Amino acid sequence: ATNLGITHLTLADWRGKPVTTGDVRALERTEAEEIYRARYWNALNCDGLAPGVELVEFDFGVNAGPARAARMLQRITGASVDGQIGPQTLAAAARHAPQTVIAKFSDDRLSYYRRLKHWGSFGRGWTRRTEETRKAALDMARLDMAA
């Protein structure tokens, strides 16, 4: 069961107790936002990333897990790969043009999905999500550069 993008397991972990399908259905937007903020945005230190870079990082973190998203950004930017976004990763990311990070991150994200056994079933959706996120992130980066 999933509601507002929050799975049954994520909600149970967040609440620290078992939840029912009904609990998932009754999930309110404010609680879902709290989960996204704490478990993904804050966990990935997205406030410290450039506009657009934070979007690709956050979106992949939600889809594939924060540690995997952090490691991907670290590999792309040449930071030590430990799955945690801290000051060294933020500094490494800041040394690269946001558009370059967004493009490479999106390409690597698609490569990751292609290696999954369910690519045949979900590949079109993963590709669409990745490309929509890439476009939005590049738009954000352009707007930031123009400001």
Side-chain angles (χ1 to χ4, degrees):
T2 302
N3 185 10
L4 301 171
I6 304 297
T7 66
H8 183 265
L9 290 175
T10 299
L11 185 60
D13 185 56
W14 172 255
R15 291 183 178 174
K17 62 183 182 181
V19 297
T20 66
T21 301
D23 293 330
V24 176
R25 278 193 209 113
L27 175 66
E28 294 186 11
R29 183 172 208 80
T30 55
E31 186 176 15
E33 289 171 356
E34 290 173 19
I35 294 168
Y36 281 122
R37 167 80 50 194
R39 294 287 170 101
Y40 304 99
W41 187 267
N42 291 345
L44 290 166
N45 214 344
C46 289
D47 282 334
L49 295 168
V53 174
E54 35 58 303
L55 177 60
V56 294
E57 181 69 12
F58 171 76
D59 190 65
F60 189 55
V62 168
N63 191 244
R68 180 171 284 115
R71 288 190 303 269
M72 184 175 288
L73 181 65
Q74 289 166 333
R75 281 191 297 276
I76 289 166
T77 61
S80 296
V81 179
D82 64 4
Q84 299 289 320
I85 304 231
Q88 292 176 352
T89 303
L90 294 175
R95 288 192 292 271
H96 298 271
Q99 295 90 335
T100 302
V101 175
I102 292 163
K104 178 69 172 145
F105 195 100
S106 300
D107 291 344
D108 287 4
R109 179 178 178 173
L110 282 173
S111 293
Y112 164 77
Y113 289 140
R114 285 185 188 104
R115 292 188 304 270
L116 298 178
K117 66 181 178 181
H118 297 297
W119 172 256
S121 300
F122 299 110
R124 287 180 59 199
W126 289 333
T127 299
R128 181 187 44 73
R129 180 175 178 156
T130 300
E131 293 305 330
E132 287 173 356
T133 304
R134 179 196 309 254
K135 182 185 179 319
L138 289 170
D139 288 347
M140 291 170 71
R142 274 193 284 278
L143 286 172
D144 185 60
M145 296 295 284

